Amino acid sequence: MSSRPVASRSARSLGRMLTASPRLAYRSLRRRYIRQSALLDYHLFGRSGASRSLEKITIELTHRCNLRCRMCSNFNDPQVPTPRGVQYAPAEELTYAQLAKFVDEAAALTSSFGLTGGEPTLSPHCLEIIRHIKKKGLYCGLTTNGTQLQRLAGEIVDSRLDWISLSLDGPEEVHDAIRGVPGTYRRLLDGVEALRECQAKRGSPLPRIGVKFTLVGDNYRHVADVAAAAARMNAVLLDITHLFFWTEEIVGRQRAAYGDDIPCYVANTDGLSGMDPAGMHAALQELKKRSWPLHIRFLPDLDLAETLAYYQQPARFVAARRCLRPWLNCSLLPNGDVVPCLGYVAGNIKEQTFPQVWNSARFRHFRRLLKKNRLFPACARCCGLYEY
């Protein structure tokens, strides 16, 4: 473990965020308050497995996508299940009425929703559900590859969407190669330009733009190029995330401990090809030496020893000792399943109301099991471990 002063790093990070975006800083403070409440649930009510601290719900509108990203588990062999679940056919996806009912029920527990996929803009209900969320006075964010942004720019601005997170993997040739479809980079930039034009015409600062950059073997040398591109987009946040993946060793340990109760499958390992952990760490350190007009967040922020362990010893835990995600967050899959993480289904909104699912016997069983063991083997390279 690193001996760096975590509290001072956190304070400096919040200070930079406050300068870059007061609105973002306010949301960060609010999240910290909710997470402190989750700690009370974790310690005081851990044996019951209940949670009163739901921070955000991620709605996966569809698992369909128009890209073929090399590090994404969504397009592994369709006959082999992945941590994200199966690729649901359009007929299996929730209707707008079902989605709206879910939002209405969940609004009693949280005020924040994030829409993702697959590519969420391929869902016919994407704009409809954004408008529904915003009409209720709730916060809504959208994670997208940006390829449909030019077509939808006007509707997105009019919807008063709060936040849009754009995936960027490097300069044009690198981005397109990783995304698996030529022209993706140019469509993303054209979409951002269209969005800015619509914002200017309507005098609206929304949605705020964030950029997400996932480190893989093909692109870590271009991290400064991505930061510069994010700045040109007038983004207020750049998330630089280490690759989240599950190796055969991790899967073997998970299955040995929990069998099919909490499933885990090999996924996202393609992004490890060509990875040089020491070179990556050096590139990130150079990035930190420069001043940027946006907040940059590292998920997780690792020193050199931790970086080497992260990629060379995948089953070893680094920079984290417990996970609060199941007390704070859950995902709604396209077919109505509610999952805390991995492939564990806590319930389905077609059969129960969301408040019933959130503290159902199955959800509480998952939280109790996680608290008892502090972490599962599959947590070692899971995004939720470092986000929360």
Side-chain angles (χ1 to χ4, degrees):
M1 277 293 290
S2 168
S3 59
R4 293 166 297 177
V6 176
S8 62
R9 291 204 313 273
S10 178
R12 288 196 299 270
S13 176
L14 183 60
R16 290 193 298 269
M17 191 185 300
L18 182 61
T19 301
S21 173
R23 184 186 182 93
L24 194 61
Y26 167 76
R27 285 193 53 78
S28 178
L29 287 170
R30 182 178 179 277
R31 284 196 300 269
R32 293 184 189 196
Y33 171 79
I34 295 176
R35 292 175 189 186
Q36 288 300 313
S37 175
L39 276 173
L40 291 177
D41 285 340
Y42 182 89
H43 290 297
L44 298 181
F45 305 104
R47 290 186 178 181
S48 74
S51 172
R52 306 164 301 160
S53 308
L54 181 58
E55 177 187 345
K56 176 185 175 182
I57 296 174
T58 299
I59 301 176
E60 297 183 11
L61 290 175
T62 181
H63 281 176
R64 287 174 284 154
C65 190
N66 54 349
L67 302 184
R68 297 294 182 270
C69 305
R70 61 172 298 188
M71 65 286 193
C72 179
S73 65
N74 215 29
F75 287 97
N76 286 356
D77 184 344
Q79 301 304 315
V80 179
T82 73
R84 292 179 53 79
V86 299
Q87 296 175 39
Y88 299 101
E92 297 178 273
E93 295 174 1
L94 295 171
T95 65
Y96 169 70
Q98 290 170 322
L99 288 165
K101 179 176 180 289
F102 168 77
V103 169
D104 294 344
E105 292 172 351
L109 300 177
T110 185
S111 62
S112 184
F113 295 84
L115 307 182
T116 185
E119 173 49 43
T121 58
L122 296 183
S123 165
H125 311 307
C126 183
L127 269 297
E128 286 182 296
I129 204 62
I130 290 174
R131 288 189 286 264
H132 183 77
I133 291 170
K134 293 309 302 175
K135 283 180 181 178
K136 296 183 70 67
L138 306 170
Y139 180 93
C140 186
L142 174 71
T143 298
T144 173
N145 61 35
T147 57
Q148 308 298 306
L149 193 53
Q150 186 174 26
R151 175 176 64 88
L152 300 174
E155 290 181 89
I156 287 175
V157 174
D158 289 342
S159 74
R160 302 294 294 171
L161 177 73
D162 295 280
W163 182 263
I164 189 164
S165 180
L166 302 171
S167 301
L168 185 62
D169 296 314
E172 184 170 3
E173 65 280 5
V174 176
H175 179 86
D176 285 0
I178 292 175
R179 294 281 148 176
V181 177
T184 300
Y185 183 87
R186 181 50 50 189
R187 291 170 68 186
L188 170 62
L189 294 190
D190 289 345
V192 172
E193 182 178 353
L195 188 71
R196 290 301 188 198
E197 289 177 356
C198 289
Q199 288 177 308
K201 288 180 181 178
R202 292 158 172 77
S204 173
L206 299 177
R208 309 284 185 184
I209 291 179
V211 171
K212 183 176 182 180
F213 175 63
T214 300
L215 294 158
V216 295
D218 294 344
N219 71 1
Y220 67 85
R221 298 176 183 87
H222 302 285
V223 62
D225 297 322
V226 170
R232 290 193 297 271
M233 293 180 189
N234 293 324
V236 297
L237 174 67
L238 170 61
D239 272 335
I240 299 176
T241 67
H242 287 274
L243 182 66
F244 303 124
F245 57 94
W246 292 267
T247 62
E248 290 184 2
E249 181 184 9
I250 293 173
V251 171
R253 293 188 179 190
Q254 180 72 17
R255 287 195 173 276
Y258 301 102
D260 293 328
D261 187 23
I262 303 177
C264 176
Y265 307 91
V266 174
N268 296 4
T269 55
D270 284 353
L272 295 172
S273 177
M275 188 73 77
D276 173 13
M280 172 193 295
H281 182 263
L284 295 179
Q285 294 308 111
E286 286 299 315
L287 182 78
K288 292 178 181 179
K289 293 177 182 178
R290 298 174 57 179
S291 177
W292 298 95
L294 73 166
H295 177 63
I296 299 180
R297 184 170 56 177
F298 301 87
L299 298 173
D301 191 2
L302 305 175
D303 62 23
L304 177 57
E306 291 168 339
T307 302
L308 294 175
Y310 189 94
Y311 291 99
Q312 296 173 353
Q313 300 172 271
R316 174 184 165 187
F317 286 90
V318 297
R321 291 294 180 267
R322 69 181 172 202
C323 180
L324 290 176
R325 181 184 175 94
W327 282 263
L328 287 159
N329 193 312
C330 65
S331 295
L332 176 71
L333 299 190
N335 71 331
D337 283 344
V338 176
V339 298
C341 59
L342 299 173
Y344 185 89
V345 178
N348 190 291
I349 64 165
K350 296 175 184 176
E351 302 166 357
Q352 298 172 282
T353 66
F354 175 70
Q356 289 173 336
V357 176
W358 177 243
N359 278 311
S360 65
R362 279 190 58 80
F363 216 136
R364 287 186 286 110
H365 166 71
F366 185 90
R367 295 190 189 106
R368 287 197 303 268
L369 200 58
L370 180 60
K371 185 176 187 297
K372 177 182 177 181
N373 295 278
R374 296 188 67 84
L375 291 168
F376 303 133
C379 298
R381 296 297 176 265
C382 174
C383 58
L385 180 61
Y386 301 103
E387 184 180 1
Y388 291 99

